[in-house]
Amino acid sequence: MSENSNQFLDALKQMQGVEVGDIVDVEVLDVEEGQIDVGVENAGIEGVIPRREYTSDRNVDLREAVKPGDKLKALVLRKAGGDKENGEFFFSVTRLKEREAYDELQKDFEEGKTIEGTVTSSVRGGLLVDVGTRGFLPASLISNRYVSDLKPFIGKTMKLKITEIDPSKNRLILSHKDLIEEEREEAFDNVASQLVVGDVVEGKVSRLTNFGAFVDVGGVDGLVHISEISYKHVDKPSDVLKAGQDVKVKVIGIDDDRHRISLSIKQTEPSPFEQATADLHEGDVFEGEVKSLTNFGAFVEVADGIQGLVHVSEISYKHVDKPSDVLKVGQKVKVKVLNIDPNERRISLSMKAAEPKNSDGEGNRSHNSYNHNSVNKKYMNNDDSGFALGDIIGDQLKDRH
């Protein structure tokens, strides 16, 4: 059927009268302060478009918005009582636009498309958004973070997802949070595919909380828990960090299921253990203070805050039932480093290996040499003692025979 034929049928239908719910072409006849007088084309039927049915903007001057002779499409709302033949109708432009908008929004919803809308006002519990029709954006769906002040959003254009739509109830629920989550998941996948646990990367502090700091690493926020900020005690992250600060972080965990990256600032720096043992080696002999006693040995201070264990079997060549039988807290003792385990952060010490069971002359020379050099050097390698751990074990085996 030709386009002219369609136009003819439409005109014929309008000449036969209009029904509530019809979409008709109207011509502006006159503009008053609160309404627009119109006539249905080719039908000889007149009616009005009330101000609220033309625009929801109360600041619009109708006389400036439309002029006599303008052509509009409108929805027939209802009949109005009157003595005129065929009666008089009320028409709506806004509801027609809403109907058309809902048709388009329904397609967007079914296809999962992203739409744009302008925030018009804030109401209790959320925001009203113009997306061709009025939609509601709940406060809980504005962001993936808590939003306390809604006013800054008024007038802004936002990208949104439709979470619920029901044209019959004029119900349209929107979400910006869902879009953020989708973008975040995509960004996470991109960044996580380039990171490996153990990597050290540059980042920027994006925000601070009571439990830690979020650091942007390549467009994705990773969490530095408060316990991973520093080896020293931190009461509040804001005491040592600030938003926008550049930091070096180590990747200590990647959770693909929860889309989370765990980071550490302190692990990019030498630990107190590493600092304390940097100049300490197996075989070094030094004097330390007994800090505590247990049934299985004595803990001796190696450096400030760092202690090593002298197992009960390493206290003396003589049998020791309890460390407290021969030692006391605060006592200065001479120890030899047997082993340093950086992974477990453990230091094994020996008192008896620092006082080899040999001739008194050699023992005295070693002791005097230690006292002289310990003034200038905290740790000393006792390579001159001539004893190794195997020698000590060998002596013990001989004693048993």
Side-chain angles (χ1 to χ4, degrees), residues 26 33 46 83 118 127 162 234 283 286:
V26 298
E33 183 177 349
E46 297 182 0
D83 297 329
T118 302
L127 301 169
I162 301 170
V234 176
F286 62 93

Side-chain angles (χ1 to χ4, degrees), residues 137-160:
L137 175 58
S140 60
L141 297 181
I142 294 175
S143 175
N144 57 347
R145 304 171 188 171
Y146 175 70
V147 176
S148 58
D149 189 3
L150 302 179
K151 291 182 179 178
F153 291 94
I154 297 175
K156 287 190 174 181
T157 298
M158 302 177 67
K159 291 185 177 181
L160 305 158

Side-chain angles (χ1 to χ4, degrees), residues 130-299:
D130 182 2
V131 288
T133 184
R134 188 173 69 176
F136 179 62
L137 175 58
S140 60
L141 297 181
I142 294 175
S143 175
N144 57 347
R145 304 171 188 171
Y146 175 70
V147 176
S148 58
D149 189 3
L150 302 179
K151 291 182 179 178
F153 291 94
I154 297 175
K156 287 190 174 181
T157 298
M158 302 177 67
K159 291 185 177 181
L160 305 158
K161 282 285 197 177
I162 301 170
T163 63
E164 186 178 345
I165 183 170
D166 188 343
S168 65
K169 296 181 180 179
N170 287 329
R171 182 176 177 82
L172 180 64
I173 307 300
L174 307 169
S175 172
H176 183 61
K177 178 181 177 179
D178 287 358
L179 191 60
I180 293 175
E181 292 297 336
E182 287 182 8
E183 293 174 346
R184 181 175 178 272
E185 288 179 12
E186 184 178 349
F188 173 87
D189 291 339
N190 290 334
V191 172
S193 65
Q194 303 175 41
L195 293 177
V196 176
V197 172
D199 284 351
V200 175
V201 297
E202 297 290 337
K204 187 183 292 289
V205 178
S206 56
R207 59 191 176 97
L208 300 171
T209 68
N210 290 332
F211 56 84
F214 285 94
V215 177
D216 184 325
V217 284
V220 174
D221 280 354
L223 174 64
V224 179
H225 190 267
I226 188 171
S227 62
E228 290 295 331
I229 292 177
S230 174
Y231 288 107
K232 297 179 180 178
H233 176 71
V234 176
D235 286 323
K236 293 185 301 181
S238 57
D239 290 340
V240 294
L241 296 171
K242 61 182 180 180
Q245 180 178 343
D246 291 323
V247 291
K248 186 180 292 184
V249 291
K250 182 177 181 178
V251 180
I252 59 175
I254 300 176
D255 188 334
D256 292 319
D257 294 332
R258 302 171 70 184
H259 297 95
R260 292 182 179 178
I261 299 176
S262 299
L263 306 170
S264 174
I265 293 176
K266 73 179 186 182
Q267 291 188 37
T268 64
E269 305 168 348
S271 68
F273 181 90
E274 293 169 327
Q275 292 176 346
T277 59
D279 297 324
L280 191 64
H281 307 89
E282 292 181 11
D284 286 357
V285 176
F286 62 93
E287 187 177 72
E289 181 181 331
V290 177
K291 287 296 184 180
S292 63
L293 298 170
T294 68
N295 290 331
F296 56 84
F299 285 95

Side-chain angles (χ1 to χ4, degrees), residues 3-14:
E3 185 177 348
N4 290 335
S5 297
N6 287 330
Q7 291 176 346
F8 173 76
L9 289 176
D10 290 341
L12 181 62
K13 182 179 177 182
Q14 289 190 342

Side-chain angles (χ1 to χ4, degrees), residues 101-113 162 165:
Y102 265 109
D103 290 342
E104 191 64 32
L105 290 168
Q106 183 68 44
K107 293 180 183 177
D108 293 335
F109 175 63
E110 293 171 357
E111 296 175 7
K113 288 185 177 179
I162 301 170
I165 183 170

